Amino acid sequence: MKKRIVIAGLGDTGLLVALGLHPEVEVIGVSPKPCLVSGQELGTRVARPGLWREHYLVDFARYRKLRGMATRHGLITRLLPERDEVVVRRMDGTEETLRYDALVLSMGVTNGFWRTATLEGREDVEQGIDEVASQLAAAASVAVVGGGATAASAASNLREAHPDKPVTLFFGERGLLPDYHPRVRKQVVARLERQGVALRPGHRAVMPAGFAGERLTPGPIAFSSGQPAFQADAVLWAVGRLQPNTSFVPANMLEEDGFVRADPQLRVPGYNNVFTVGDVAATDPNRSSARNSGFLTVAHNVRCLLEGREDRMKAFEATPHRWGSVLGVQHDGMRVFAPNGLSVGIGLFWVRNVLFPLVVRRGIYKGVDPA
């Protein structure tokens, strides 16, 4: 009888863990969405939603290697590690208890309107994407608040998609992309300036009371750093107020800030058969197991556990800087940055005909059927 692995969260990282384990073991993936709703490339999502859907909104059934894998469209409401069980509440309100031999916690985080743990159907997800993109397209001017990659990507892609629309990017004292290598910061700032994004450093925006960035707001924006208020038709808040989706996780599995504790093998300390990976895992200051092949480490170590070879588990290796494409696919292609700040530019032809169809869909995702 196959061992059973329950994966809590089938976002970008949880999906890759599933691809690394199924069908050799029984995998059940639990997701509040009926498909992959990627947290990547917010800029493309809000500026060119059709292109974003093509690559980042994908039905689970399209992944060839996941054929035959069970999924549960629902929310985990309770984790009972002493029984090796989780309780799942489905869309219709009914509950199901799932027993596991190993559990992977990869629920991610809630961040603004684009990354949520809300239980939604496909129609709800599609409607939310279209509403935000339509509001930004209709706005006469846009302000983006935040200093991370999400804010930079949103400002850059909105300006590229709407070159006649004023786009202003406000960020604080740490500067733009503070967790990236200085080379990355320099190149991205130069790109934004060439695109005509108005950069406003040293601005500490005041968020409206009781607000966490979960929707667009109209201006004005007030600043606690002394600058006068700024008026914009639409304000996109990307201020990094991440909330880990860990409401069902016992407190002794969590750090003080609510992220899941992780040892070097990406196991939860004190729980032999519970692993964690992705943005929810407190692995390092950048919680970088969402990158750096964290999914491969977890899949390998789960196998070692089930085969009684724990001495062969691998340790996860973080990098000192964040890395990736930052701005996503643009009219001239994509630039991908390494942790050391070096980068490579990939022309649009190669992005369309090699990177996505061969490297991403065939290589990383093991085959993806057409929509």
Side-chain angles (χ1 to χ4, degrees):
M1 183 175 179
K2 289 184 178 180
K3 299 289 187 178
R4 174 184 286 181
I5 313 303
V6 172
I7 300 178
L10 286 178
D12 296 294
T13 307
L15 177 67
L16 289 168
V17 174
L19 287 165
L21 290 170
H22 177 80
E24 289 76 17
V25 296
E26 180 190 4
V27 177
I28 300 179
V30 183
S31 172
K33 316 299 184 188
C35 54
L36 172 67
V37 183
S38 176
Q40 297 184 62
E41 310 294 5
L42 177 66
T44 308
R45 172 171 165 162
V46 298
R48 290 172 292 166
L51 177 63
W52 185 87
R53 280 183 171 92
E54 182 181 341
H55 301 302
Y56 300 107
L57 187 68
V58 184
D59 291 330
F60 296 132
R62 290 176 56 195
Y63 294 96
R64 294 171 191 165
K65 195 171 184 296
L66 295 188
R67 286 172 181 163
M69 190 189 89
T71 60
R72 298 293 189 273
H73 182 196
L75 285 172
I76 297 179
T77 57
R78 280 173 287 167
L79 166 54
L80 306 169
E82 68 281 1
R83 300 182 188 175
D84 293 338
E85 292 177 348
V86 293
V87 179
V88 180
R89 176 170 55 84
R90 292 182 287 238
M91 282 284 286
D92 61 5
T94 60
E95 288 191 341
E96 177 185 10
T97 299
L98 297 175
R99 194 182 183 285
Y100 58 81
D101 293 290
L103 173 67
V104 179
L105 300 174
S106 58
M107 303 83 63
V109 297
T110 291
N111 185 13
F113 56 82
W114 59 95
R115 301 176 71 185
T116 74
T118 307
L119 190 56
E120 294 181 300
R122 177 68 180 250
E123 186 175 323
D124 301 316
V125 173
E126 297 262 15
Q127 182 178 346
I129 293 168
D130 289 336
E131 284 180 353
V132 171
S134 295
Q135 290 175 44
L136 290 167
S141 60
V142 175
V144 180
V145 181
T150 299
S153 172
S156 173
N157 284 281
L158 284 167
R159 180 66 182 176
E160 180 160 287
H162 308 286
D164 296 328
K165 190 190 305 290
V167 177
T168 307
L169 175 59
F170 296 95
F171 48 95
E173 296 174 355
R174 295 182 66 204
L176 192 64
L177 305 179
D179 299 321
Y180 286 76
H181 193 281
R183 293 191 190 102
V184 180
R185 302 172 70 177
K186 183 178 180 180
Q187 288 198 50
V188 172
V189 166
R191 174 82 179 192
L192 291 166
E193 289 176 340
R194 288 196 302 271
Q195 290 175 316
V197 175
L199 302 180
R200 298 291 182 264
H203 284 64
R204 191 166 59 250
V206 178
M207 293 188 76
F211 177 68
E214 67 272 15
R215 64 184 184 280
L216 302 177
T217 64
I221 309 170
F223 302 97
S224 61
S225 43
Q227 296 90 351
F230 183 86
Q231 182 63 48
D233 279 0
V235 182
L236 191 160
W237 299 82
V239 294
R241 291 195 175 180
L242 307 179
Q243 295 294 321
N245 298 321
T246 53
S247 60
F248 65 90
V249 180
N252 61 358
M253 290 186 172
L254 305 176
E255 300 280 347
E256 289 185 3
D257 55 6
F259 291 87
V260 182
R261 297 164 59 214
D263 70 9
Q265 288 70 40
L266 300 183
R267 279 200 286 194
V268 178
Y271 295 89
N272 186 58
N273 63 342
V274 182
F275 297 79
T276 186
V277 67
D279 292 318
V280 79
T283 52
D284 59 278
N286 288 328
R287 295 186 299 278
S288 65
S289 66
R291 298 183 184 273
N292 304 320
S293 300
F295 67 95
L296 292 175
T297 302
V298 165
H300 172 82
N301 290 347
V302 167
R303 280 202 173 89
C304 288
L305 172 71
L306 299 182
E307 295 169 4
R309 299 183 297 118
E310 294 183 50
D311 59 315
R312 301 186 66 178
M313 285 187 175
K314 297 178 181 179
F316 169 71
E317 296 184 11
T319 57
H321 298 290
R322 294 183 183 272
W323 57 278
S325 70
V326 183
L327 301 181
V329 180
Q330 301 198 318
H331 74 277
D332 55 355
M334 173 186 286
R335 181 159 295 275
V336 179
F337 297 93
N340 63 4
L342 299 178
S343 66
V344 59
I346 307 172
L348 194 59
F349 173 86
W350 299 102
V351 170
R352 290 174 173 170
N353 296 286
V354 177
L355 180 64
F356 277 112
L358 300 181
V359 177
V360 176
R361 295 190 191 120
R362 185 178 300 179
I364 296 175
Y365 289 111
K366 317 299 182 187
V368 182
D369 290 332

